[in-house]
Amino acid sequence: MGDDPGRLYRLDGVAHIAGVINDEPRRCISSVRRQQGMRLDERYVPYLQMAGLYHLARLNDRWFRLDEPLVIAFVERWRPETHTFHMPFGECTITLQDVAYQLGLPVDGDYVSGCLTDFHLYIEGGRPAWQWFHELLGVLPPENQVQKFAVNCTWFQETFVECPDGADEETVRRFVRAYIMMLLGTQLFADKSGNRIHIRWLPYVARLEEMGRYSWGSAALAWLYRCMCRVANRHVVKLAGPLQLLQSWIFWRFPTLRPSGYDEISWPLASRWSGYNPGISNKGPRVQMARLKIDLLQPWQFIWMPYSALDVIQVVHPEVLEPRHTMLWRCRTSLIYFAVVEWHQVDRVLPQFGGVQPIPSPALNIDFLMSKDGRGGDRWFPAQYADWHVHWQERAEHILQFDIVPDPGPSHDFLTWWYQHGKRFLSPEMLLGDPRGIPIPDEATQRGAGRLPDMDRVEDVPDRRRIERRAQVGTRRSQREWIGADLAMDDVEPPVRGGGRVRGRGGRRRVGAAREGAQMPMGGDVAGVDRAHRGGHEGGSGGSGMGDPTTHTDAGLGGGGLGDYFVGVPGDDHTLQESTPWVSPSSMFGDLLASDGIVAEFGGPHFLEDIRTIMQEDEAAAGRVQTTGTQPPLDVDLNEPATVAPPHPFAMGGTPASAQTVGSHSVAGPSSSRPPDAARVTPIQPVPDDSDESIEDEEPLIRRSFRTRVPRRCGTGSHLFR
């Protein structure tokens, strides 16, 4: 049984751009991609080859730009539920096979995970982050080049632009480490900032000889999936990640969409488009034109198996065709990149591997995983996401077995189902000439029915915030409505303290006043407002990452964009969609509260009862004692600070130095998260960073010593900070 429309498009009507494409027909994205600007020295090559990154380094020198209008037309068809592009002829997607051919990256190996900053707590031989930075690179960045746990790219380029002639081996290794950190941070795992390198790579570059045992290909694909899911949100307009892979995949698979004159094929295959530079003018009309071209595509205008051509086989590197790599191309498993866990759903695109596509199994619901970004306190992700890491470790057991046919493609049964349930066309009908009446091709019947391989069914992990129920409660259109709901609940439960109620006239301004210690007028409930402020602020910096309107940005991994995607809550000052009829457009904070209590209901007759029930359920769930065999494996909140360090450190990485000091000066202790000054031990004050654009750890805003109950805003329940 295939997907029903509700499951296949469960995120529609929330924030996916496809749901409002008629309102924003010319929406275009802005790509975030930076060329690694350090010269590839011949002395680096042996280390890059050991790490499996040499082909990527060569590709860095063959720069080409992103065709943003074309990419946004594909983003409109990207479905986070299935991690596939929904096309008129069926589904297709970027797989591990494409990563291997396009970028030349190894696929088999250990997952790329661990922790983000607290290396000394989890890793054998670890040091506080910035002490380790100094030991491995031989220098510390100045204060104005550090932003939290990331260093500006310009400093890396200026400091390590060229390895000195006659440098000793240790100096060469330091320059290699900097080069690899820049390569990973700009070409594979770039975030939305586009100009910062996170220090998460220190445990990996600590032992250069062991970097080759990691699956850089699967990590890159996981990050591209997550970036695509983010930018499919109508409120996000910046796309980061391995964009060379995305655009080269489009050109290789869709001949009618590729530029002319790029016929020379070299390795890796993405280098074919070296020097491509699309125009940057008329983006809006070009988006519409690309959308129409995709809508009018015929089945024969998509190449299911482009890598079987003779000219490709002649240039492919033998390592890519090793059985340990090729067998994983057909593996249905998890893809891991630190806190990012995505799903390699190749069972939906069997024709890309030479099979016949039957009606697929229902789409896996991993909304819970997609809502996590690793913010708000460091974690050892292999322990927090143990089940999903086991999936990758047992990847050899989940390789799909199916028949290879001379004419791969969708079956007749699939196309019958797809024509009924698929979202095949996005352009206006007046431009399409109504292709919906085109019959199913005869060759689809000749392929046979096709058979879906036997697979172990993975349990759904829906978002525990119970999306559907919260959608019935209402939305939080601005900060003042969160505060209003919190105060309303205070009125319903205990008597108001202080002898009065607070009337809101702009929640954000009131919160700022409370933070500064300003006097509350008319004897208002200062504690209630401060409690609401802390709950709202916690959600923005160290909280759920599910779309805090006060900090909503276009962030790639941590901007809360996908919160809108799941919960259906536009960011602050964003226009509400027609698909949220439970919102009263005229609802204002003053209508919610009055001196004699609630005088107008917000979103329905059971609004407050529903909110109270949800908060009680969340609080009860957070308070349950975790016991083996009874606690759900993923019932953890990565946004809460860690409580206990693991009993045994993880043996990854190492450090070439054993001293506990830098030079003759002491280094900040384990709790320090900033580099010591080269001349004195003064913690660097990082530049404030409100971009939420990378996987970064953020210090908790509410210290654990408070031991107070801090209720979150009305849409996310309450949690205990112990």
CSV table of all heavy atoms in Angstrom, one decimal, residues 597-636:
chain,number,residue,atom,x,y,z
A,597,GLY,N,-10.7,39.2,33.7
A,597,GLY,CA,-10.5,37.8,33.2
A,597,GLY,C,-10.5,37.8,31.7
A,597,GLY,O,-10.5,38.7,31.0
A,598,ILE,N,-10.6,36.5,31.2
A,598,ILE,CA,-10.7,36.3,29.8
A,598,ILE,C,-12.1,36.7,29.3
A,598,ILE,O,-13.1,36.2,29.7
A,598,ILE,CB,-10.5,34.8,29.5
A,598,ILE,CG1,-9.1,34.4,30.0
A,598,ILE,CG2,-10.5,34.6,28.0
A,598,ILE,CD1,-8.0,35.1,29.4
A,599,VAL,N,-12.1,37.6,28.4
A,599,VAL,CA,-13.4,38.1,27.8
A,599,VAL,C,-13.6,37.7,26.4
A,599,VAL,O,-14.6,37.8,25.8
A,599,VAL,CB,-13.5,39.6,27.9
A,599,VAL,CG1,-13.5,40.1,29.4
A,599,VAL,CG2,-12.4,40.3,27.1
A,600,ALA,N,-12.5,37.2,25.7
A,600,ALA,CA,-12.6,36.7,24.4
A,600,ALA,C,-11.8,35.5,24.2
A,600,ALA,O,-10.6,35.4,24.6
A,600,ALA,CB,-12.2,37.8,23.4
A,601,GLU,N,-12.3,34.5,23.6
A,601,GLU,CA,-11.6,33.2,23.4
A,601,GLU,C,-10.6,33.3,22.3
A,601,GLU,O,-10.9,34.0,21.3
A,601,GLU,CB,-12.5,32.0,23.2
A,601,GLU,CG,-13.5,31.8,24.4
A,601,GLU,CD,-14.3,30.6,24.2
A,601,GLU,OE1,-13.8,29.5,24.0
A,601,GLU,OE2,-15.6,30.8,24.2
A,602,PHE,N,-9.5,32.7,22.4
A,602,PHE,CA,-8.4,32.8,21.4
A,602,PHE,C,-8.4,31.5,20.6
A,602,PHE,O,-7.8,30.5,21.0
A,602,PHE,CB,-7.1,33.0,22.1
A,602,PHE,CG,-5.9,33.2,21.1
A,602,PHE,CD1,-5.9,34.4,20.3
A,602,PHE,CD2,-5.0,32.3,21.0
A,602,PHE,CE1,-4.8,34.6,19.5
A,602,PHE,CE2,-3.9,32.4,20.1
A,602,PHE,CZ,-3.9,33.6,19.3
A,603,GLY,N,-9.0,31.4,19.4
A,603,GLY,CA,-8.9,30.2,18.6
A,603,GLY,C,-9.9,29.1,18.8
A,603,GLY,O,-9.8,28.1,18.2
A,604,GLY,N,-10.8,29.3,19.7
A,604,GLY,CA,-11.8,28.2,19.9
A,604,GLY,C,-12.2,28.1,21.4
A,604,GLY,O,-11.6,28.7,22.3
A,605,PRO,N,-13.3,27.4,21.7
A,605,PRO,CA,-13.9,27.4,23.0
A,605,PRO,C,-13.0,26.6,24.0
A,605,PRO,O,-13.1,26.8,25.2
A,605,PRO,CB,-15.2,26.7,22.8
A,605,PRO,CG,-15.0,25.9,21.6
A,605,PRO,CD,-14.1,26.7,20.7
A,606,HIS,N,-12.1,25.8,23.6
A,606,HIS,CA,-11.3,25.0,24.5
A,606,HIS,C,-9.8,25.4,24.4
A,606,HIS,O,-9.0,24.5,24.7
A,606,HIS,CB,-11.5,23.5,24.2
A,606,HIS,CG,-12.9,23.1,24.2
A,606,HIS,ND1,-13.6,23.0,25.3
A,606,HIS,CD2,-13.7,22.7,23.2
A,606,HIS,CE1,-14.9,22.6,25.0
A,606,HIS,NE2,-14.9,22.4,23.7
A,607,PHE,N,-9.6,26.6,24.1
A,607,PHE,CA,-8.2,27.0,23.9
A,607,PHE,C,-7.3,26.8,25.1
A,607,PHE,O,-6.3,26.1,25.1
A,607,PHE,CB,-8.2,28.5,23.4
A,607,PHE,CG,-6.8,29.1,23.3
A,607,PHE,CD1,-5.9,28.6,22.4
A,607,PHE,CD2,-6.4,30.2,24.1
A,607,PHE,CE1,-4.6,29.1,22.3
A,607,PHE,CE2,-5.2,30.7,24.0
A,607,PHE,CZ,-4.3,30.2,23.1
A,608,LEU,N,-7.7,27.4,26.2
A,608,LEU,CA,-6.9,27.4,27.4
A,608,LEU,C,-6.8,25.9,28.0
A,608,LEU,O,-5.8,25.5,28.4
A,608,LEU,CB,-7.5,28.3,28.5
A,608,LEU,CG,-7.3,29.8,28.1
A,608,LEU,CD1,-7.9,30.6,29.3
A,608,LEU,CD2,-5.9,30.2,28.0
A,609,GLU,N,-7.9,25.2,27.9
A,609,GLU,CA,-7.9,23.8,28.3
A,609,GLU,C,-6.9,23.0,27.5
A,609,GLU,O,-6.2,22.2,28.1
A,609,GLU,CB,-9.3,23.2,28.3
A,609,GLU,CG,-10.3,23.7,29.3
A,609,GLU,CD,-10.9,25.1,28.9
A,609,GLU,OE1,-10.5,25.5,27.8
A,609,GLU,OE2,-11.7,25.6,29.6
A,610,ASP,N,-6.9,23.2,26.2
A,610,ASP,CA,-6.0,22.4,25.4
A,610,ASP,C,-4.5,22.8,25.7
A,610,ASP,O,-3.7,21.9,25.8
A,610,ASP,CB,-6.2,22.7,23.9
A,610,ASP,CG,-7.5,22.0,23.4
A,610,ASP,OD1,-7.9,21.1,24.1
A,610,ASP,OD2,-8.0,22.4,22.4
A,611,ILE,N,-4.3,24.1,25.9
A,611,ILE,CA,-2.9,24.5,26.2
A,611,ILE,C,-2.5,23.9,27.6
A,611,ILE,O,-1.4,23.3,27.7
A,611,ILE,CB,-2.8,26.0,26.3
A,611,ILE,CG1,-3.0,26.6,24.8
A,611,ILE,CG2,-1.4,26.4,26.8
A,611,ILE,CD1,-2.8,28.1,24.8
A,612,ARG,N,-3.3,23.9,28.5
A,612,ARG,CA,-3.0,23.4,29.8
A,612,ARG,C,-2.7,21.9,29.8
A,612,ARG,O,-1.8,21.4,30.4
A,612,ARG,CB,-4.1,23.7,30.9
A,612,ARG,CG,-4.2,25.2,31.2
A,612,ARG,CD,-5.4,25.5,32.1
A,612,ARG,NE,-5.3,24.7,33.3
A,612,ARG,CZ,-6.3,24.6,34.2
A,612,ARG,NH1,-7.5,25.2,33.9
A,612,ARG,NH2,-6.1,24.0,35.3
A,613,THR,N,-3.5,21.2,29.0
A,613,THR,CA,-3.4,19.8,28.9
A,613,THR,C,-2.0,19.4,28.2
A,613,THR,O,-1.3,18.6,28.6
A,613,THR,CB,-4.5,19.2,28.0
A,613,THR,OG1,-5.7,19.4,28.7
A,613,THR,CG2,-4.3,17.7,27.9
A,614,ILE,N,-1.7,20.2,27.1
A,614,ILE,CA,-0.5,20.0,26.4
A,614,ILE,C,0.7,20.2,27.4
A,614,ILE,O,1.7,19.4,27.4
A,614,ILE,CB,-0.4,20.9,25.2
A,614,ILE,CG1,-1.4,20.4,24.1
A,614,ILE,CG2,1.0,20.8,24.6
A,614,ILE,CD1,-1.5,21.3,23.0
A,615,MET,N,0.7,21.3,28.1
A,615,MET,CA,1.8,21.6,29.0
A,615,MET,C,1.9,20.6,30.1
A,615,MET,O,3.0,20.2,30.5
A,615,MET,CB,1.6,23.0,29.6
A,615,MET,CG,1.7,24.1,28.6
A,615,MET,SD,1.6,25.8,29.3
A,615,MET,CE,3.1,25.8,30.3
A,616,GLN,N,0.8,20.1,30.6
A,616,GLN,CA,0.9,19.1,31.6
A,616,GLN,C,1.5,17.8,31.1
A,616,GLN,O,2.3,17.1,31.8
A,616,GLN,CB,-0.5,18.8,32.2
A,616,GLN,CG,-1.0,20.0,33.1
A,616,GLN,CD,-2.5,19.8,33.4
A,616,GLN,OE1,-3.1,18.8,33.1
A,616,GLN,NE2,-3.0,20.8,34.2
A,617,GLU,N,1.1,17.4,29.9
A,617,GLU,CA,1.6,16.2,29.3
A,617,GLU,C,3.1,16.3,29.0
A,617,GLU,O,3.9,15.4,29.3
A,617,GLU,CB,0.9,15.9,27.9
A,617,GLU,CG,-0.5,15.5,28.1
A,617,GLU,CD,-1.3,15.4,26.8
A,617,GLU,OE1,-0.6,15.7,25.8
A,617,GLU,OE2,-2.4,14.9,26.8
A,618,ASP,N,3.6,17.5,28.5
A,618,ASP,CA,5.0,17.7,28.3
A,618,ASP,C,5.8,17.7,29.6
A,618,ASP,O,6.9,17.1,29.7
A,618,ASP,CB,5.2,19.1,27.6
A,618,ASP,CG,4.9,19.0,26.2
A,618,ASP,OD1,4.7,17.9,25.7
A,618,ASP,OD2,4.9,20.1,25.5
A,619,GLU,N,5.2,18.3,30.7
A,619,GLU,CA,5.9,18.3,32.0
A,619,GLU,C,6.0,16.9,32.5
A,619,GLU,O,7.0,16.5,33.1
A,619,GLU,CB,5.2,19.2,32.9
A,619,GLU,CG,5.9,19.4,34.3
A,619,GLU,CD,5.3,20.5,35.1
A,619,GLU,OE1,4.3,21.1,34.6
A,619,GLU,OE2,5.8,20.6,36.3
A,620,ALA,N,4.9,16.1,32.4
A,620,ALA,CA,4.9,14.8,32.9
A,620,ALA,C,5.9,13.9,32.1
A,620,ALA,O,6.6,13.1,32.7
A,620,ALA,CB,3.5,14.1,32.7
A,621,ALA,N,6.0,14.1,30.8
A,621,ALA,CA,6.9,13.4,30.0
A,621,ALA,C,8.4,13.7,30.4
A,621,ALA,O,9.2,12.8,30.4
A,621,ALA,CB,6.7,13.6,28.5
A,622,ALA,N,8.6,15.0,30.7
A,622,ALA,CA,10.0,15.4,31.0
A,622,ALA,C,10.4,14.9,32.4
A,622,ALA,O,11.5,14.7,32.7
A,622,ALA,CB,10.1,16.9,31.0
A,623,GLY,N,9.4,14.6,33.2
A,623,GLY,CA,9.7,14.2,34.6
A,623,GLY,C,9.8,12.7,34.8
A,623,GLY,O,10.1,12.3,35.9
A,624,ARG,N,9.5,12.0,33.8
A,624,ARG,CA,9.5,10.5,33.9
A,624,ARG,C,11.0,10.1,34.2
A,624,ARG,O,11.9,10.6,33.6
A,624,ARG,CB,9.0,9.8,32.7
A,624,ARG,CG,7.5,10.1,32.4
A,624,ARG,CD,7.0,9.1,31.3
A,624,ARG,NE,5.7,9.4,30.9
A,624,ARG,CZ,5.4,10.1,29.8
A,624,ARG,NH1,6.4,10.4,29.0
A,624,ARG,NH2,4.2,10.4,29.5
A,625,VAL,N,11.1,9.1,35.0
A,625,VAL,CA,12.4,8.5,35.3
A,625,VAL,C,12.8,7.6,34.1
A,625,VAL,O,12.1,6.7,33.7
A,625,VAL,CB,12.4,7.7,36.6
A,625,VAL,CG1,13.8,7.1,36.9
A,625,VAL,CG2,12.0,8.6,37.7
A,626,GLN,N,14.0,7.8,33.6
A,626,GLN,CA,14.5,7.0,32.5
A,626,GLN,C,15.0,5.7,33.0
A,626,GLN,O,15.9,5.6,33.8
A,626,GLN,CB,15.6,7.8,31.8
A,626,GLN,CG,16.1,7.0,30.5
A,626,GLN,CD,17.0,7.9,29.7
A,626,GLN,OE1,17.2,9.1,30.0
A,626,GLN,NE2,17.7,7.3,28.7
A,627,THR,N,14.3,4.6,32.4
A,627,THR,CA,14.7,3.3,32.8
A,627,THR,C,15.0,2.5,31.6
A,627,THR,O,14.3,2.7,30.6
A,627,THR,CB,13.6,2.6,33.7
A,627,THR,OG1,12.4,2.6,32.9
A,627,THR,CG2,13.4,3.4,35.0
A,628,THR,N,15.9,1.5,31.7
A,628,THR,CA,16.2,0.7,30.5
A,628,THR,C,15.0,-0.2,30.1
A,628,THR,O,14.4,-0.8,30.9
A,628,THR,CB,17.4,-0.2,30.9
A,628,THR,OG1,18.5,0.6,31.3
A,628,THR,CG2,17.8,-1.1,29.7
A,629,GLY,N,14.7,-0.1,28.8
A,629,GLY,CA,13.6,-0.9,28.3
A,629,GLY,C,12.3,-0.3,28.3
A,629,GLY,O,11.4,-0.8,27.7
A,630,THR,N,12.2,0.8,29.0
A,630,THR,CA,10.9,1.5,29.0
A,630,THR,C,10.9,2.9,28.4
A,630,THR,O,9.9,3.4,28.0
A,630,THR,CB,10.4,1.6,30.5
A,630,THR,OG1,11.3,2.4,31.3
A,630,THR,CG2,10.2,0.2,31.1
A,631,GLN,N,12.1,3.5,28.5
A,631,GLN,CA,12.2,4.9,28.0
A,631,GLN,C,12.4,4.8,26.5
A,631,GLN,O,13.2,4.1,26.0
A,631,GLN,CB,13.4,5.6,28.6
A,631,GLN,CG,13.5,7.1,28.2
A,631,GLN,CD,12.6,7.9,28.9
A,631,GLN,OE1,11.8,7.4,29.7
A,631,GLN,NE2,12.6,9.2,28.7
A,632,PRO,N,11.6,5.6,25.7
A,632,PRO,CA,11.9,5.7,24.2
A,632,PRO,C,13.3,6.1,24.0
A,632,PRO,O,13.8,6.9,24.6
A,632,PRO,CB,10.8,6.7,23.8
A,632,PRO,CG,9.8,6.7,24.8
A,632,PRO,CD,10.5,6.4,26.1
A,633,PRO,N,13.9,5.5,23.0
A,633,PRO,CA,15.3,5.7,22.8
A,633,PRO,C,15.7,7.2,22.4
A,633,PRO,O,16.8,7.6,22.6
A,633,PRO,CB,15.7,4.8,21.6
A,633,PRO,CG,14.4,4.5,20.9
A,633,PRO,CD,13.3,4.5,22.0
A,634,LEU,N,14.7,7.9,21.8
A,634,LEU,CA,15.0,9.3,21.4
A,634,LEU,C,14.2,10.3,22.3
A,634,LEU,O,14.1,11.4,21.9
A,634,LEU,CB,14.6,9.4,19.9
A,634,LEU,CG,15.4,8.7,19.0
A,634,LEU,CD1,14.9,8.8,17.5
A,634,LEU,CD2,16.9,9.1,19.0
A,635,ASP,N,13.8,9.9,23.4
A,635,ASP,CA,13.1,10.8,24.3
A,635,ASP,C,14.1,11.7,25.1
A,635,ASP,O,14.2,11.6,26.3
A,635,ASP,CB,12.1,10.1,25.2
A,635,ASP,CG,11.2,11.0,25.9
A,635,ASP,OD1,11.1,12.2,25.5
A,635,ASP,OD2,10.6,10.6,26.9
A,636,VAL,N,14.9,12.4,24.4
A,636,VAL,CA,15.9,13.3,25.0
A,636,VAL,C,15.7,14.6,24.3
A,636,VAL,O,15.2,14.8,23.2
A,636,VAL,CB,17.3,12.8,24.7
A,636,VAL,CG1,17.5,11.4,25.4
A,636,VAL,CG2,17.6,12.6,23.3
